[in-house]
Amino acid sequence: MDYLGTIVVAIIVFSLVLSVVIYMIKQHKNQKNSCCGGCAGCPMANSCHKYDETEKNKASNNKKK
């Protein structure tokens, strides 16, 4: 039982990683975006979901600043 502390920490880390993966899968199934900055500066904006004119306008305004 010399490794009891290591085993406990490994179980905690594994459970945290598993909970993050489950959360991301649920977001993907619900079509929620996992990005935090929006599509204005994203090079993959056209491929991940619909990129509307509002986002294009935001992108062009941000580049002008």
Side-chain angles (χ1 to χ4, degrees):
M1 290 312 231
D2 293 334
Y3 301 109
L4 184 61
T6 304
I7 292 171
V8 170
V9 171
I11 290 171
I12 291 171
V13 170
F14 178 74
S15 63
L16 288 173
V17 170
L18 184 63
S19 65
V20 168
V21 169
I22 290 171
Y23 175 75
M24 291 176 72
I25 290 171
K26 285 182 180 180
Q27 273 191 331
H28 181 72
K29 285 183 179 180
N30 292 331
Q31 299 295 327
K32 291 186 180 179
N33 193 2
S34 62
C35 302
C36 60
C39 293
C42 181
M44 299 298 290
N46 291 329
S47 64
C48 66
H49 56 83
K50 192 172 184 177
Y51 186 69
D52 62 5
E53 291 297 321
T54 307
E55 294 291 335
K56 289 180 184 177
N57 292 335
K58 286 181 187 177
S60 64
N61 289 339
N62 288 339
K63 289 180 182 177
K64 290 179 184 177
K65 291 181 181 180

